[in-house]
Amino acid sequence: MASLTLVSQSQSFLIRPHCTNSNPKPTVFVSSFLPLHFRSYKIDRIPQSNGVVVVSANTAEKARKRYPGEAKGFVEEMRFVAMKLHTREQAKEGQKQVKEPEERPLTKWKPSVDGYLRFLVDSKLVYDTLEGIIQEAPIPIWSMVKKEKDFLFLVHCRSFLKKLLCFSSTPATWENGDAEFRNTGLERSEKLAKDLECFKEQGYTIPEPSSCGITYAQYLKELSEKDPQAFICHFYNVYFAHSAGGRMIGKKVAEKILDNKELEFYKWDGELSQLLQNVRDKLNKVAESWTREQKNHCLDETEKSFKHSGEILRLIIS
């Protein structure tokens, strides 16, 4: 049974007027049925003329920790965490020390066409995987179900619905948001296919994907099936990083080895800022239904996203 323990046993909610202290001190209560982050809080006791105490407690909202960027939406939280994992050379908010070759200033890079092709091939595999997961995800019918009995009926008939609607085995937690991210305008697979075909026509041999790309693609598939919050973290970082730092890298590499030729990989159909804003809004919408623990889990995945992307980026100068 949940308990409410009065820490100061010498005080009571109902006190006699003639026994009331003129300067009552806040009393601390501890409850076993309250969440840990505000299990202990202060109660201000204001004696009234009839001897009844008016209780004013701090709200959970005031007690809860506010996360950097939270007021602007969850995407801003993801951006804040991602920026901290950059070096100061890469971003003014960066806190990471330069350790890997790809973290050095772009002016010191010595890219090669062969290395760049390996990077493009692995990048295409990653984008193929991300966009395939989104396109093949089930129709978000769960989000249209309003009554519990209807939901239970759908769960009971899921095996039939899979065949009828081509459902995949991805969890319902991801199904609610999957259609939000189809045809956003940020897709890169087709652009990369054109670039690789162009290199092939010029006589270059297109390599097979490396272990870096294969490992990352497999990891993304696993996340899409069992960990939607972590998957969203990679989705955000892959697309948004390419639209910012990725373009800078593409421009510098083009200057060094491609006679300033801009690849399709770095071109978008439409205003990029608006495309990004549209996806930003959708990501914020999906995250609105997440608990704080789920949001933190998504943020914690950022370092893994940077690790996998960094290994692929390193191919350019390998």
Side-chain angles (χ1 to χ4, degrees):
M1 180 181 295
S3 63
L4 183 64
T5 305
L6 181 58
V7 174
S8 177
Q9 297 293 346
S10 62
Q11 303 295 331
S12 171
F13 271 154
L14 296 177
I15 58 178
R16 299 175 183 176
H18 66 276
C19 297
T20 302
N21 190 334
S22 60
N23 295 308
K25 296 181 179 180
T27 302
V28 177
F29 284 82
V30 177
S31 170
S32 62
F33 58 76
L34 290 173
L36 289 175
H37 60 275
F38 64 101
R39 186 170 286 179
S40 179
Y41 58 95
K42 293 182 178 180
I43 302 266
D44 296 327
R45 301 183 298 108
I46 308 173
Q48 301 297 310
S49 58
N50 60 359
V52 178
V53 176
V54 176
V55 178
S56 175
N58 291 334
T59 64
E61 181 64 25
K62 290 182 180 179
R64 188 175 69 80
K65 174 184 177 182
R66 301 291 289 181
Y67 288 78
E70 186 176 2
K72 295 183 179 180
F74 187 62
V75 170
E76 183 63 16
E77 290 188 54
M78 289 196 286
R79 191 198 71 81
F80 182 84
V81 173
M83 288 299 100
K84 289 173 62 177
L85 294 177
H86 286 75
T87 65
R88 289 301 297 271
E89 177 72 24
Q90 296 168 334
K92 62 181 181 180
E93 304 104 316
Q95 298 181 8
K96 187 176 181 181
Q97 298 296 320
V98 176
K99 294 181 180 179
E100 303 296 342
E102 72 276 7
E103 295 171 346
R104 293 178 299 178
L106 288 173
T107 54
K108 296 183 179 180
W109 282 29
K110 296 181 180 180
S112 66
V113 175
D114 288 340
Y116 195 42
L117 283 173
R118 289 196 294 271
F119 162 75
L120 294 175
V121 167
D122 276 26
S123 295
K124 184 175 184 302
L125 177 59
V126 170
Y127 284 105
D128 284 346
T129 302
L130 284 169
E131 289 157 24
I133 289 169
I134 299 300
Q135 290 297 328
E136 296 173 7
I139 299 172
I141 192 170
W142 306 99
S143 61
M144 297 185 288
V145 178
K146 303 300 182 183
K147 298 180 180 180
E148 182 180 2
K149 63 179 182 179
D150 295 333
F151 175 79
L152 294 174
F153 173 74
L154 285 175
V155 170
H156 181 71
C157 299
R158 179 163 181 158
S159 60
F160 170 73
L161 288 170
K162 277 187 181 181
K163 297 177 181 178
L164 182 64
L165 299 175
C166 300
F167 268 39
S168 74
S169 59
T170 49
T173 49
W174 170 239
E175 288 168 9
N176 286 334
D178 51 23
E180 296 284 345
F181 304 104
R182 292 172 180 163
N183 305 317
T184 63
L186 299 183
E187 291 80 12
R188 300 289 87 193
S189 286
E190 291 185 6
K191 300 286 187 179
L192 280 163
K194 291 180 180 179
D195 287 331
L196 291 172
E197 182 61 29
C198 183
F199 275 105
K200 186 176 180 179
E201 291 174 355
Q202 294 177 43
Y204 290 99
T205 300
I206 307 302
E208 294 295 319
S210 74
S211 60
C212 298
I214 294 172
T215 298
Y216 193 19
Q218 182 58 41
Y219 184 60
L220 290 171
K221 289 178 182 178
E222 293 172 1
L223 291 181
S224 71
E225 295 171 357
K226 64 181 182 181
D227 197 339
Q229 282 76 36
F231 180 84
I232 284 289
C233 175
H234 290 266
F235 177 92
Y236 164 77
N237 280 292
V238 168
Y239 284 102
F240 279 67
H242 178 65
S243 69
R247 287 194 297 164
M248 294 174 59
I249 292 171
K251 181 178 180 180
K252 185 60 64 175
V253 171
E255 290 176 359
K256 289 178 175 287
I257 62 175
L258 299 178
D259 294 328
N260 289 309
K261 176 179 173 58
E262 184 180 19
L263 300 185
E264 294 296 318
F265 188 29
Y266 305 100
K267 297 178 183 178
W268 285 264
D269 299 324
E271 187 64 35
L272 178 57
S273 61
Q274 186 58 55
L275 297 176
L276 291 169
Q277 185 59 49
N278 293 342
V279 174
R280 190 179 289 113
D281 292 341
K282 292 174 181 179
L283 286 167
N284 282 331
K285 179 181 177 182
V286 168
E288 284 177 358
S289 62
W290 292 358
T291 64
R292 187 64 251 179
E293 289 73 17
Q294 288 174 320
K295 290 179 179 179
N296 289 346
H297 176 61
C298 177
L299 297 177
D300 290 342
E301 189 72 15
T302 307
E303 199 163 344
K304 288 185 180 178
S305 175
F306 271 59
K307 173 182 176 294
H308 286 290
S309 296
E311 289 173 348
I312 294 176
L313 187 62
R314 200 175 305 154
L315 295 173
I316 298 177
I317 52 179
S318 61

